[in-house]
């Protein structure tokens, strides 16, 4: 299978030959940082235009179609507009926290990128608690929203922040439980272990019905955790005029916007890694000729294909379902998803102990 | 000799200490909560620096994601959370300082007494499965009993919450 | 049974969500359903719905004849004074003085396209046209006289 490890090893060796170890390490960090920021910018542009096009076609509209071929440069134009807009700080806000909040949102989103395996042997930091790390860092996201909501000194912002706090804190539970099912099946928290454990089939196929239930719960909880419709209580344009980012404009608003899309990408990447095998091509048991044929497709294409499929599903949710009321939202979590998730993890544990999975 | 690791350690330590100090001196309660959060994150960073990833992640999940959010929520729900807190009386500040300094003194005493020496023992396995085994182990270095006792405490707290919530409901109806 | 209701609820919810997703999925894959009109570009091929009402017009036939008798039924029916009919008396073939329309004044700027005048007209003299590009630089240009100059009442219309 084609792998990035040769390329990265080459760069690594060359850097350590030419520079002292400390400088080489620093240079590698800079390279990773630049690559991450570049990925962010690309993702922001691609996901925004994708969202607008998908939403348009689902609502029998055309969507942006004036800037560039078929409107594909629309998000670039929007970004330019946001860049040159004045970064307003309204009177009466808590200046420090108001300006800090978008940065915190962005940093939390950036930290999430570290353990994600983008292709075979292409990962920033393969730490041994990968999945737990993602769960932990994604809980920081709510802090940024709470900060923005409180420091804006605006009742809509505050209401949006409180709603999103209640929402994220409760949906983290079922997201965690559905992640745990895969951890139980694969027996490791490390992302690379989880991916290699799916070399003879993805967990959604190998784990029988409980894995599928866990996948559905994960999708719902991920949609809720990223504050997207039908769970966009934090923004809820028609009720809260934008929720926690009501007072934000220009680049600060753009950072929140970008952070939201990065979070969407990251949760979808995690979902693809856990349930759909990450960069692992579609393998069926010991059907060797089929597996070899699949290996010819590069692993990065598999990863991004699965991730963007999940992103598309989340957009499909967003443009189909109406927004839930806050009590319906909490009922869904505490009365449906959480009990089902708990029974489900019990079933998965039994399956894992008795080795009933393939 | 300052190498990269020492610099990172001092940065994390400075973040932890400065934000902890700001958390107690700030007179805006929300800012104090955010500073407390930063301080807790600094501690998590130190765990990462020590390569105790599991403990670091748990620190973030429990303290930053759980307790800090809970504190911020209760700040939101209190009235006049945007105003400055009243200045504390001198006696209170003094007693708090004495308590804090006593704690610091006790810790420093232990640290200074201990003779740090290099060891050739293999590093402790801090993998998740090793932690899990020890947490639920009943052998010599198992923590099953304290683990269960702590969960009993949590159960008691949960039952207490339910009892409080139930009582207010029957009264109002 | 509690559990039965619980799972019934879930099954129903999933079913209704899936039917919604099937609808949007259908629209996503069938681009010919798109209803967006790219207006200034497709001006030549623009198709307006049948019932769209743009302005009141008075059709004239080839001999410059209209069907308006000047009865002012439309003027009375109009809720906001859009129509003002100026009448004159002229002698008909038998030498009788007869009321006829001199100027059918129509204030487009006041019209709400409510269609009441068309319904009130006993002789079907006026109808709604579909033109909608009404913008002009001066408000006075919106006041129109609908009967053409030198036009006459069509034969046989009472």
């Amino acid at each position: 299978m084609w792998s990035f490890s040769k390329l990265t090893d080459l760069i690594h060796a060359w850097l350590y030959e030419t520079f002292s170890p400390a400088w080489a390490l620093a240079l590698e960090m800079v390279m990773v940082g630049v690559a991450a920021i570049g990925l962010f910018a690309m993702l922001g542009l691609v996901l925004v235009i994708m969202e607008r096009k998908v939403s348009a076609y689902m609502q029998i509209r055309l969507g942006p179609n004036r800037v560039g071929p078929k409107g594909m440069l629309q998000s670039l134009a929007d970004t330019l507009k946001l860049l040159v807009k004045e970064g307003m700080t309204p009177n009466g806000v808590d200046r420090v926290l108001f300006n800090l909040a978008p940065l915190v949102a962005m940093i939390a989103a950036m930290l999430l990128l570290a353990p994600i395996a983008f292709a075979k042997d292409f990962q920033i930091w393969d730490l041994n608690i990968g999945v737990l790390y993602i769960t932990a860092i994604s809980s920081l996201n709510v802090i940024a929203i709470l900060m923005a909501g409180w420091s804006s000194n605006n009742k809509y912002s505050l209401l949006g922040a409180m709603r999103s706090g209640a929402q994220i804190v409760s949906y983290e539970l079922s997201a965690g439980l559905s992640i745990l099912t895969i951890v139980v099946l694969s027996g490791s928290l490390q992302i690379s272990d989880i991916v290699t454990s799916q070399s003879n089939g993805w967990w959604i196929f190998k784990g029988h019905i409980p894995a599928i239930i866990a996948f559905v719960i994960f999708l719902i909880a991920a949609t809720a955790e990223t504050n997207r419709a039908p769970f966009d209580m934090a923004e809820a344009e028609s009720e809260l005029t934008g929720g926690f980012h009501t007072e934000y404009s220009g680049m600060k608003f753009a950072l929140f916007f970008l952070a939201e899309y990065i979070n969407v990408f990251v949760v979808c990447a995690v979902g693809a890694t856990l349930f759909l095998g990450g960069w692992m091509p579609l393998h069926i048991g010991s059907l060797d000729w089929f597996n070899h044929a699949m290996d010819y497709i590069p692993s990065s294409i598999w990863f991004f294909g699965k991730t963007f499929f999940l992103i598309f599903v989340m957009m499909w949710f967003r443009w189909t379902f109406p927004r839930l009321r806050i009590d319906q939202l909490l009922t869904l979590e505490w009365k449906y998803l959480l009990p089902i998730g708990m029974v489900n993890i019990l079933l998965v544990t039994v399956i894992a102990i008795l080795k009933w999975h393939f | 000799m300052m190498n990269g690791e020492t610099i990172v350690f001092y940065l994390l330590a400075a973040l932890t200490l400065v934000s902890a100090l700001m958390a107690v001196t700030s007179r805006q309660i929300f800012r104090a909560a955010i500073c407390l959060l930063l301080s807790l994150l600094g501690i998590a960073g130190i765990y990462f620096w020590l390569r105790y990833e599991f403990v670091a992640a748990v620190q973030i999940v429990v303290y930053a994601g759980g307790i800090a959010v809970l504190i911020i929520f209760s700040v939101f729900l209190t009235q006049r959370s945007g105003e400055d807190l009243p200045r504390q009386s001198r006696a209170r500040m003094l007693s708090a300082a004495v308590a804090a300094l006593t704690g610091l003194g006790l810790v420093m005493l232990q640290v200074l007494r201990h003779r740090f020496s290099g060891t050739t023992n293999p590093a402790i396995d801090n993998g998740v499965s090793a932690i899990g085994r020890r947490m639920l182990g009943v052998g010599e270095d198992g923590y099953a009993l304290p683990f269960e006792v702590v969960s009993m405490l949590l159960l008691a707290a949960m039952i207490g919450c339910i009892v409080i919530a139930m009582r207010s409901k029957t009264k109002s109806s | 049974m509690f559990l039965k209701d619980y799972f019934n609820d879930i099954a129903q919810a999933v079913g209704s969500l899936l039917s919604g997703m099937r609808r949007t999925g259908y629209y996503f894959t069938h681009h010919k359903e798109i209803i967006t009109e790219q207006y200034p570009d497709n001006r030549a091929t623009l198709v307006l719905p049948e019932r769209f009402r743009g302005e009141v017009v008075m059709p004239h036939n080839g001999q410059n004849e209209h069907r308006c008798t000047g009865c002012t039924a439309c003027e009375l029916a109009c809720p906001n004074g859009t129509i003002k009919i100026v009448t004159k008396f002229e002698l008909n073939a038998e030498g009788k003085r007869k009321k006829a329309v001199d100027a059918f004044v129509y204030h487009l700027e006041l019209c709400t396209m409510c269609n009441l005048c068309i319904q009130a007209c006993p002789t079907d003299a006026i109808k709604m046209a579909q033109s909608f590009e009404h913008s002009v630089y001066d408000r006075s240009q919106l006041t129109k006289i609908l009967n053409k100059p030198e036009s006459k009442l069509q034969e046989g219309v009472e």
Side-chain angles (χ1 to χ4, degrees):
Chain A
M1 214 187 299
W2 197 77
S3 150
F4 275 105
S5 59
K6 280 169 204 148
L7 182 72
T8 46
D9 284 348
L10 208 73
I11 296 173
H12 184 75
W14 180 78
L15 278 173
Y16 273 82
E17 263 173 33
T18 0
F19 300 100
S20 68
W23 278 110
L25 190 67
L27 273 176
E28 279 180 353
M29 283 179 178
V30 169
M31 281 165 67
V32 168
V34 169
I37 290 170
L39 180 74
F40 271 31
M42 278 309 295
L43 275 179
L45 296 180
V46 170
L47 288 180
V48 169
I49 190 73
M50 178 175 164
E51 173 107 81
R52 294 185 64 175
K53 275 293 188 190
V54 167
S55 72
Y57 286 136
M58 282 185 176
Q59 297 173 339
I60 349 180
R61 294 184 290 116
L62 274 174
N65 60 350
R66 298 282 142 169
V67 189
K70 296 219 163 212
M72 285 304 158
L73 300 179
Q74 180 67 48
S75 47
L76 201 64
D78 287 348
T79 314
L80 272 179
K81 183 204 78 174
L82 285 171
L83 272 173
V84 297
K85 254 178 120 169
E86 183 189 356
M88 282 255 294
T89 307
N91 269 344
V93 302
D94 189 327
R95 281 178 177 276
V96 181
L97 294 178
F98 183 82
N99 292 318
L100 198 63
L103 296 180
V104 172
M106 209 57 210
I107 290 169
M110 271 183 140
L111 284 174
L112 281 173
L113 226 52
I116 288 171
F118 291 97
K120 189 171 160 55
D121 303 320
F122 197 75
Q123 197 174 0
I124 297 174
W125 186 20
D126 187 20
L127 75 176
N128 61 3
I129 48 146
V131 178
L132 182 64
Y133 174 87
I134 289 171
T135 324
I137 300 293
S138 64
S139 67
L140 287 184
N141 198 24
V142 64
I143 302 285
I145 291 176
L146 290 174
M147 259 164 97
W150 189 83
S151 63
S152 291
N153 197 12
N154 174 327
K155 59 187 165 215
Y156 295 126
S157 304
L158 192 62
L159 275 174
M162 296 208 36
R163 283 179 179 191
S164 96
Q167 175 184 329
I168 292 181
V169 167
S170 36
Y171 274 83
E172 235 163 42
L173 292 171
S174 29
L177 279 181
S178 54
I179 287 175
L180 265 186
T181 57
I182 298 305
V183 172
V184 167
L185 282 172
S186 62
S188 175
L189 287 166
Q190 201 164 349
I191 296 277
S192 55
D193 283 357
I194 290 174
V195 174
T196 38
S197 73
Q198 304 182 64
S199 59
N200 57 347
W202 303 343
W203 278 121
I204 193 165
F205 302 132
K206 287 201 297 178
H208 306 291
I209 293 170
I212 295 171
I213 294 175
F215 180 64
V216 172
I217 292 178
F218 179 82
L219 269 185
I220 297 172
T223 319
E225 270 205 72
T226 45
N227 280 322
R228 285 171 63 81
F231 304 105
D232 60 343
M233 305 301 305
E235 288 152 43
E237 292 94 342
S238 47
E239 302 163 26
L240 297 177
T241 69
F244 65 91
H245 56 57
T246 304
E247 298 287 349
Y248 284 89
S249 63
M251 207 55 218
K252 286 176 218 159
F253 170 74
L255 282 181
F256 270 124
F257 205 63
L258 189 58
E260 185 195 318
Y261 279 105
I262 302 298
N263 279 327
V264 169
F265 174 79
V266 168
V267 292
C268 288
V270 171
T273 308
L274 293 177
F275 295 96
L276 306 178
W279 51 261
M280 192 60 80
L282 177 61
H283 285 173
I284 302 176
S286 51
L287 213 63
D288 276 335
W289 62 268
F290 181 79
N291 296 350
H292 280 302
M294 284 293 154
D295 284 349
Y296 279 106
I297 302 173
S299 53
S300 53
I301 289 183
W302 278 106
F303 173 77
F304 280 102
K306 290 167 192 173
T307 307
F308 273 85
F309 168 71
L310 288 187
I311 292 173
F312 172 74
V313 170
M314 275 174 75
M315 287 180 180
W316 198 351
F317 288 163
R318 171 165 184 177
W319 297 105
T320 304
F321 304 140
R323 184 185 307 127
L324 271 75
R325 230 167 39 218
I326 184 81
D327 62 317
Q328 293 169 332
L329 188 99
L330 295 178
T331 308
L332 174 67
E333 162 65 16
W334 292 102
K335 290 192 179 164
Y336 292 93
L337 294 187
L338 196 64
I340 293 173
M342 279 179 163
V343 173
N344 196 39
I345 197 166
L346 211 65
L347 285 177
V348 168
T349 319
V350 171
I351 287 175
I353 291 173
L354 298 178
K355 302 234 179 290
W356 279 351
H357 60 83
F358 299 111
Chain B
M1 176 58 200
M2 290 278 271
N3 55 8
E5 285 210 356
T6 354
I7 294 172
V8 170
F9 172 75
Y10 280 115
L11 281 178
L12 285 172
L15 171 74
T16 312
L17 290 178
V18 170
S19 50
L21 208 63
M22 276 165 72
V24 282
T25 51
S26 171
R27 289 181 53 208
Q28 285 228 341
I29 190 157
F30 186 77
R31 281 197 187 182
I34 293 291
C35 288
L36 178 67
L37 170 81
L38 278 181
S39 169
L40 294 169
L41 284 181
I43 292 171
I46 289 180
Y47 286 137
F48 270 120
W49 181 82
L50 288 168
R51 311 248 157 80
Y52 279 103
E53 286 99 353
F54 183 77
V55 184
V58 169
Q59 165 90 7
I60 294 176
V61 168
V62 174
Y63 286 99
I67 290 178
V69 171
L70 216 63
I71 289 175
I72 291 172
F73 249 83
S74 38
V75 168
F76 278 5
L77 292 173
T78 48
Q79 284 187 325
R80 288 179 292 171
S81 55
E83 291 168 22
D84 282 2
L85 293 174
R87 201 172 279 282
Q88 297 296 328
S89 69
R90 192 151 299 209
R92 264 191 171 183
M93 279 163 80
L94 208 69
S95 55
V98 167
L101 285 177
T102 315
L104 182 71
L106 286 174
V107 172
M108 286 308 287
L109 205 67
Q110 284 301 315
V111 169
L112 292 177
R113 258 196 189 170
H114 185 77
R115 199 162 288 128
F116 290 96
S117 54
T119 174
T120 52
N121 294 343
I124 300 167
D125 177 17
N126 62 355
V128 183
S129 47
I131 291 173
R133 255 185 219 112
R134 288 190 70 175
M135 196 75 101
L136 294 174
V138 287
E140 200 176 324
D141 47 3
Y143 285 87
L145 185 63
F147 187 72
E148 289 304 320
V149 170
V150 170
S151 53
M152 284 294 286
L153 182 70
L154 279 178
L155 185 68
M158 267 163 75
I159 292 173
C161 284
I162 292 170
V163 167
I164 291 169
M166 296 261 282
R167 190 183 292 157
S168 67
K169 201 170 188 182
T170 48
K171 233 177 226 174
S172 64
S173 62
Chain C
M1 264 298 275
F2 165 73
L3 266 183
K4 201 178 148 198
D5 287 350
Y6 184 79
F7 285 111
N8 260 345
D9 272 3
I10 294 172
Q12 267 181 11
V14 170
S16 72
L17 292 181
L18 282 181
S19 74
M21 283 178 74
R22 202 170 61 225
R23 191 76 247 174
T24 42
Y26 172 82
Y27 284 139
F28 183 75
T29 46
H30 292 69
H31 288 187
K32 65 171 188 296
E33 300 264 355
I34 288 175
I35 53 169
T36 306
E37 299 280 354
Q38 304 207 52
Y39 161 57
D41 293 346
N42 70 347
R43 198 191 231 140
T45 58
L46 191 65
V47 180
L48 287 170
E50 198 184 317
R51 295 196 295 174
F52 176 76
R53 302 199 283 257
E55 66 171 325
V56 175
V57 292
M58 184 180 286
H60 288 64
N61 65 8
Q63 284 88 47
N64 201 16
E65 288 172 337
H66 56 77
R67 295 171 63 87
C68 180
T69 58
C71 68
T72 69
C74 51
E75 189 178 335
L76 291 171
C78 185
N80 41 358
T82 303
I83 296 169
K84 180 80 194 140
I85 292 178
V86 184
T87 52
K88 63 181 176 191
F89 287 94
E90 58 184 25
L91 293 172
N92 64 0
E94 293 144 31
K96 260 182 168 176
R97 264 161 59 88
K98 198 162 184 219
K99 202 162 88 172
V101 63
D102 185 26
F104 189 105
V105 182
Y106 170 56
H107 293 273
L108 179 56
E109 75 271 27
L110 298 177
C111 184
T112 58
M113 319 297 166
C114 67
N115 211 27
L116 287 176
C117 52
I118 279 90
Q119 282 170 358
C121 184
T123 56
D124 290 338
I126 45 176
K127 65 168 196 172
M128 276 288 176
Q130 295 211 316
S131 60
F132 60 95
E133 289 162 321
H134 293 311
S135 52
V136 285
Y137 284 102
D138 193 283
R139 199 168 48 184
S140 63
Q141 284 170 277
L142 289 171
T143 305
K144 298 177 178 178
I145 295 174
L146 292 188
N147 55 332
K148 289 183 186 161
E150 305 295 322
S151 62
K152 285 207 294 286
L153 181 65
Q154 204 175 319
E155 280 297 316
V157 177
E158 289 297 321

